[in-house]
Amino acid sequence: MEFRYYKMPEGSPILALLGEKWLQSYGRDVDFLHFHNFLEIGYCYGGQGDMVLGEQNLRFKASQFTVIPKNYPHTTNSDPGTFSQWEYLFVDVEGFLREHNGGGTPMRTERMIQKINSRAFLVNVKEFPGIAKLIRQLLEIMRETKEYYLEEAKGILTALLINIARENHIEEPEYEENEELEGNVTIPISRALDYITLHYMEPLKIGELADWSHMSETHFRRIFSAYMKMSPLEYINLVRVRTACEYLKKTDVPVSDIAHKCGFNTLSTFNRNFKQIMGSAPYEWRKRPENFEQQLLKFQIHSEAGW
């Protein structure tokens, strides 16, 4: 397994790999998979061959495109004796969406990021003409680099990421923030959310959050529940479970240790809350195909700067 890392151009969330260099025989003398530190979007103009996405072996041809999350093992191999023509966009999804609050609210932004990174796919342009059109627009914008091209590219990129997130459906409860409440509620609730983010791994009492937000406990519970559409304890457990998901995906730490790291006193409490929120037990969730980063732990990995 090889880690091919890229550095984004200063001020840009997009790195474009364009031109004749990417007309080549892919996979020559390569018998291993690789992964990147950014989302990879590839557009195939010509040629054919095999593509490995995680544990999938697929055939590729012209007029197809790929969307491959960061840390997702993959490789491209042209048929023997043939050349294939691709162009690529590498995207700093997390940095871009979090900086611009791309989901509209912090919680929606994080769900959007999770959906974008939930799977890799290779599809025909005719299946998803809208996404394909946005990819081609971005490629041309990055190729021509006209005045204000980055500003234009960021607008197109937002639309592209939204469409990818819509296609990558994740079954999870939809918790929406209530944006219709008076603005003076936002600041104390935001303070409480920040406090939970910093202290979710500790024993948390609702009274502490109320004090931090300068409210009585009764008033805090009512306002928090109205604003977040869930109780304070439900939100605390949601943060803890989502943090646990990151450990389950990216490490081989035992489930009992993860439960403790995420603020659950007992494994049974962790298992109950995890299943309630995610729909399955932690050890079952860890084995799902979309939690591909867990598979990286099986390989010996060396690093190399991207092409």
Side-chain angles (χ1 to χ4, degrees):
M1 185 75 71
E2 182 175 84
F3 173 36
R4 296 180 184 169
Y5 58 91
Y6 290 99
K7 183 178 180 181
M8 282 290 155
E10 186 174 354
S12 174
I14 305 170
L15 171 66
L17 305 183
L18 311 170
E20 294 183 0
K21 179 179 180 180
W22 307 105
L23 172 59
Q24 58 178 268
S25 180
Y26 286 83
R28 290 169 297 181
D29 303 319
V30 175
D31 61 356
F32 50 83
L33 302 181
H34 66 271
F35 60 98
H36 302 285
N37 55 327
F38 296 112
L39 176 81
E40 175 190 304
I41 297 172
Y43 195 96
C44 183
Y45 298 96
Q48 60 185 20
D50 296 312
M51 175 165 289
V52 180
L53 295 178
E55 298 182 354
Q56 298 183 83
N57 290 281
L58 306 170
R59 291 288 295 173
F60 75 82
K61 59 182 180 180
S63 296
Q64 290 185 321
F65 66 87
T66 57
V67 177
I68 304 174
K70 70 175 186 179
N71 297 336
Y72 200 107
H74 63 282
T75 194
T76 305
N77 298 301
S78 301
D79 284 344
T82 68
F83 284 75
S84 303
Q85 184 178 8
W86 289 80
E87 288 188 324
Y88 299 94
L89 298 167
F90 287 87
V91 180
D92 179 7
V93 174
E94 290 81 0
F96 177 69
L97 291 178
R98 286 169 182 160
E99 179 182 355
H100 299 281
N101 209 18
T105 64
M107 288 187 68
R108 286 168 61 86
T109 297
E110 293 306 313
R111 285 201 300 277
M112 186 175 174
I113 291 170
Q114 184 183 9
K115 288 181 178 181
I116 291 167
N117 288 328
S118 66
R119 69 182 181 114
F121 55 87
L122 166 70
V123 294
N124 295 318
V125 168
K126 291 182 178 179
E127 292 180 63
F128 299 95
I131 293 179
K133 180 180 179 181
L134 292 169
I135 293 172
R136 289 195 302 269
Q137 284 181 307
L138 270 178
L139 289 168
E140 292 309 309
I141 291 169
M142 301 303 291
R143 190 190 321 279
E144 296 175 359
T145 61
K146 295 179 179 179
E147 188 176 14
Y148 308 120
Y149 78 96
L150 273 181
E151 288 74 16
E152 183 181 10
K154 289 176 182 179
I156 301 296
L157 178 60
T158 299
L160 175 60
L161 295 178
I162 288 171
N163 277 272
I164 292 172
R166 285 172 177 165
E167 293 300 328
N168 290 354
H169 176 69
I170 298 176
E171 292 188 5
E172 62 170 333
E174 289 291 329
Y175 296 112
E176 300 292 340
E177 297 179 28
N178 188 337
E179 299 173 359
E180 299 178 357
L181 292 179
E182 293 297 325
N184 60 359
V185 174
T186 302
I187 294 176
I189 296 301
S190 294
R191 285 172 58 85
L193 298 181
D194 289 342
Y195 190 88
I196 292 169
T197 298
L198 293 173
H199 300 279
Y200 67 86
M201 71 294 295
E202 305 169 7
L204 282 177
K205 296 181 179 180
I206 308 305
E208 294 175 3
L209 295 174
D211 291 342
W212 183 253
S213 304
H214 306 298
M215 297 181 185
S216 69
E217 183 173 340
T218 301
H219 186 55
F220 174 77
R221 287 179 182 273
R222 182 176 63 81
I223 293 298
F224 190 100
S225 298
Y227 189 85
M228 298 298 294
K229 296 297 183 181
M230 68 182 82
S231 71
L233 181 57
E234 286 173 330
Y235 180 78
I236 292 169
N237 286 331
L238 178 64
V239 171
R240 288 170 170 168
V241 166
R242 284 186 171 165
T243 304
C245 287
E246 293 301 305
Y247 280 112
L248 290 168
K249 282 198 300 184
K250 298 177 181 179
T251 76
D252 55 2
V253 173
V255 172
S256 58
D257 290 350
I258 291 174
H260 178 72
K261 286 176 178 289
C262 294
F264 290 98
N265 292 327
T266 66
L267 182 58
S268 60
T269 302
F270 172 60
N271 288 337
R272 183 176 67 254
N273 281 279
F274 192 97
K275 188 169 185 178
Q276 180 180 357
I277 292 171
M278 302 306 298
S280 63
Y283 70 92
E284 294 173 342
W285 188 89
R286 192 177 222 172
K287 296 178 181 178
R288 290 183 178 178
E290 62 265 29
N291 300 325
F292 52 85
E293 289 171 289
Q294 174 69 203
Q295 300 301 315
L296 298 180
L297 302 173
K298 300 178 181 178
F299 295 91
Q300 182 177 0
I301 296 172
H302 72 279
S303 299
E304 180 177 310
W307 290 315

